[in-house]
Amino acid sequence: MKILILGSGQVGAAIAQELASMPNHDVTIVDTDETALKNLGSRLDVRTLVGNAASPMVLQNAGAEDTDMLLALTRSDETNLVACKLAADLFNIPQRIARVRSAEYSEFGAEDDDEDNPNHIPCSLKAFSVTDSIHPENLVTEHLAGLLSHVRALQVLPFAHEKVKMVVAQARAEDWIIGKSLLQIAARLPENTDCQICAIYRNTRLIVPQPETVIEEGDEITFVVDSRCLSSVMYVLFEYNKSNRRVMIAGGGNIGYRLAKKMENQFNIKIIQHNEQRAEWLSEHLDNTLVLHGSGTDEDLLAREYIDEVDIFLALTNDDENNIMSALLAKNLGAKRVISIINRSRYVDLLTGHQIDIIVSPHQLTIGGVLAHVRRGDIAEMYPLRRGAAEAIEAVVHGDHKTSSLVGRRVDEIKWPSGCHIAAIVRGDEVIMGRDHSQVLQDGDHIIFFVSRRRVSRELEKLIQVKMGFFG
């Protein structure tokens, strides 16, 4: 497949690295930053071209005329959209995926979905011939909303149209599950409630769960559960209920505003905004949120607003350093749990596992969103885990016994790649835990995998792909 990537920032570079390592991919990267392109070209087997990604001449020189997929990932929405329009009208590139930050583009006309718009592309994006889009701020907002709804969770990942959720949480000394085997934990779950613990990380070492595996303090547990049973399972495993209601947000930008708007009827939210005009705008557009004019690093302001009684503090400004300092200060002053957005990957690695409870990387979430579109074999969702070392993947299987390596076969008859574990199978409204190896896979099944090594994902893609006879 010939792929043209526009933009060599963190997202573009990460996608290029992923694609360049796969066989049969011819990758070209376009950017105005000559230094960044030289660095990429020196370590990856890719072609680079310096130029404006919205220029038809530059696109032509980059080989757009015989390109299979365009990934418009620059920092400019306008550049990405114009490039998609040119790619469609001048070069007939079949797949045109754009990263779009502005809500004005992503939300205008979104309510006008119809049967001819299966990907739910807003009319404002269809006007630019975008075939699919990635919205970083939406991804981050939804991710944060999941963390607020389940406070003990480090990650909450939705699959199969929200029917299943994968949760990552850490076991604490006071939790009931400490010293208990997985068999004992399963026995304590309420009737008609089940979950599948698919991975345990102990001091960065992966433990493949067995019925006799015993949970220890500090274990990072990854499990999947029917979304309807998530609250019950969280309560049994971590004795958590929804009494944590006091939330403070530092940063009233797009993400801070969207999160407050989405959750203000469920939580008592205070939002701190440094810019006075923006603070006034927030107070006019939020109904049940208290807006404070000030800085998240103002110790006196935090103390006056009873930071020691806050259940969750979120640092959501556009400045990494500001987010780090405000999160650390809030934790030091007594906030029970702190979450911070960090964009720089070096900072993420340095701060993970320290005083900030959860670090959210918008770039990692965006990369996962892009890869879900790029991956072959009906990959519906893909989320990076453990800072990209592992992955959670949702695949939809199609075909029959002749055209598919999976359909019509029992789970235990299939030779799965090493390091690939089935977490759950979703068939219609039924959620089947991955431990049931007697299941015969059917056309249309959604399979959720935990993949402990990213390179295994490529073997999984080949296994999922239908044979050519399926299209004949």
Side-chain angles (χ1 to χ4, degrees):
M1 179 184 288
K2 189 169 182 180
I3 301 173
L4 178 55
I5 299 175
L6 310 180
S8 64
Q10 288 190 48
V11 174
I15 298 299
Q17 182 172 348
E18 178 80 13
L19 295 175
S21 63
M22 297 180 184
N24 305 319
H25 277 159
D26 181 0
V27 180
T28 300
I29 310 173
V30 175
D31 202 305
T32 55
D33 189 336
E34 186 173 359
T35 303
L37 290 178
K38 281 184 178 179
N39 291 336
L40 279 175
S42 65
R43 59 187 178 87
L44 300 178
D45 183 18
V46 298
R47 181 187 172 211
T48 62
L49 181 66
V50 179
N52 179 3
S55 163
M57 186 64 71
V58 170
L59 292 176
Q60 184 180 49
N61 292 338
E65 290 172 333
D66 59 350
T67 289
D68 301 300
M69 177 184 290
L70 177 82
L71 297 174
L73 306 175
T74 75
R75 295 179 179 87
S76 166
D77 286 353
E78 287 71 24
T79 298
N80 294 338
L81 295 175
V82 169
C84 284
K85 184 64 173 174
L86 294 174
D89 292 355
L90 299 184
F91 303 108
N92 199 30
I93 297 177
Q95 288 183 272
R96 304 169 297 277
I97 301 170
R99 177 168 69 165
V100 181
R101 287 188 172 90
S102 173
E104 294 182 0
Y105 291 119
S106 61
E107 295 177 2
F108 183 84
E111 66 279 2
D112 298 332
D113 290 339
D114 53 47
E115 294 180 358
D116 298 325
N117 187 17
N119 292 328
H120 306 294
I121 302 295
C123 61
S124 57
L125 298 184
K126 286 202 293 183
F128 289 96
S129 302
V130 173
T131 58
D132 224 323
S133 55
I134 305 296
H135 308 284
E137 290 178 351
N138 288 358
L139 292 172
V140 174
T141 302
E142 291 301 320
H143 185 73
L144 292 172
L147 296 176
L148 283 184
S149 299
H150 304 284
V151 177
R152 285 294 303 276
L154 301 175
Q155 284 184 285
V156 181
L157 308 174
F159 292 98
H161 309 293
E162 303 275 348
K163 293 176 183 174
V164 171
K165 287 195 170 72
M166 179 178 285
V167 180
V168 182
Q170 190 170 43
R172 296 177 182 171
E174 65 271 18
D175 291 331
W176 170 84
I177 59 173
I178 300 298
K180 304 295 189 299
S181 70
L182 301 193
L183 206 57
Q184 290 173 300
I185 293 170
R188 184 160 173 171
L189 291 174
E191 189 177 355
N192 299 321
T193 300
D194 198 3
C195 75
Q196 169 89 20
I197 296 178
C198 43
I200 299 171
Y201 280 90
R202 184 171 296 161
N203 298 323
T204 71
R205 181 172 64 91
L206 172 65
I207 297 173
V208 178
Q210 303 295 331
E212 63 276 8
T213 301
V214 173
I215 302 297
E216 297 182 6
E217 180 184 353
D219 283 356
E220 189 177 288
I221 303 167
T222 301
F223 66 92
V224 293
V225 62
D226 186 320
S227 297
R228 295 167 291 191
C229 304
L230 179 53
S231 295
S232 300
V233 171
M234 288 293 287
Y235 182 77
V236 170
L237 267 60
F238 305 106
E239 296 184 357
Y240 159 73
N241 55 40
K242 294 187 176 181
S243 61
N244 298 291
R245 289 296 184 195
R246 292 157 294 192
V247 175
M248 183 177 288
I249 299 173
N254 289 338
I255 293 175
Y257 164 69
R258 288 183 182 186
L259 183 64
K261 189 71 173 177
K262 183 180 182 69
M263 309 299 288
E264 64 179 352
N265 292 325
Q266 303 174 47
F267 296 88
N268 297 320
I269 298 179
K270 296 178 181 179
I271 188 167
I272 303 172
Q273 172 58 37
H274 185 262
N275 181 279
E276 186 174 359
Q277 287 184 326
R278 179 65 177 179
E280 291 177 357
W281 185 91
L282 289 170
S283 65
E284 293 172 0
H285 288 79
L286 292 170
D287 301 319
N288 299 314
T289 297
L290 176 62
V291 180
L292 305 169
H293 176 225
S295 169
T297 57
D298 185 337
E299 184 174 350
D300 292 335
L301 173 61
L302 295 179
R304 286 198 308 271
E305 296 301 327
Y306 304 103
I307 187 65
D308 57 328
E309 297 181 2
V310 166
D311 295 305
I312 312 169
F313 178 91
L314 301 102
L316 308 181
T317 75
N318 293 321
D319 185 289
D320 282 357
E321 289 80 4
N322 195 305
N323 288 341
I324 293 168
M325 293 308 298
S326 61
L328 292 175
L329 181 60
K331 190 72 170 181
N332 189 52
L333 292 174
K336 295 180 181 64
R337 196 165 180 80
V338 294
I339 300 173
S340 178
I341 284 180
I342 303 292
N343 286 288
R344 298 187 190 180
S345 56
R346 292 286 180 90
Y347 285 3
V348 173
D349 294 336
L350 283 172
L351 293 165
T352 299
H354 292 81
Q355 280 187 289
I356 300 176
D357 295 298
I358 301 177
I359 293 173
V360 176
S361 169
H363 292 305
Q364 282 292 328
L365 292 174
T366 305
I367 289 165
V370 175
L371 286 177
H373 295 288
V374 172
R375 292 280 176 82
R376 299 168 296 174
D378 286 311
I379 302 296
E381 297 287 354
M382 197 290 293
Y383 298 101
L385 300 170
R386 298 193 64 78
R387 297 176 296 284
E391 290 180 336
I393 296 174
E394 176 191 346
V396 186
V397 294
H398 292 297
D400 54 31
H401 195 276
K402 293 181 180 180
T403 59
S404 169
S405 300
L406 304 180
V407 175
R409 293 168 174 82
R410 283 168 51 111
V411 170
D412 53 11
E413 292 176 344
I414 300 166
K415 186 177 180 181
W416 300 101
S418 175
C420 173
H421 309 279
I422 294 182
I425 300 169
V426 181
R427 183 174 298 147
D429 291 327
E430 183 184 9
V431 177
I432 305 161
M433 292 299 121
R435 71 175 73 89
D436 185 358
H437 291 175
S438 66
Q439 285 293 321
V440 177
L441 297 180
Q442 299 178 15
D443 178 48
D445 281 355
H446 291 245
I447 309 177
I448 291 86
F449 297 94
F450 173 84
V451 179
S452 60
R453 295 172 296 163
R454 290 187 67 185
R455 56 189 176 87
V456 174
S457 302
R458 297 162 203 158
E459 300 175 42
L460 183 60
E461 290 167 30
K462 293 178 183 177
L463 188 63
I464 295 166
Q465 281 183 308
V466 292
K467 299 170 186 176
M468 288 304 294
F470 179 72
F471 301 102

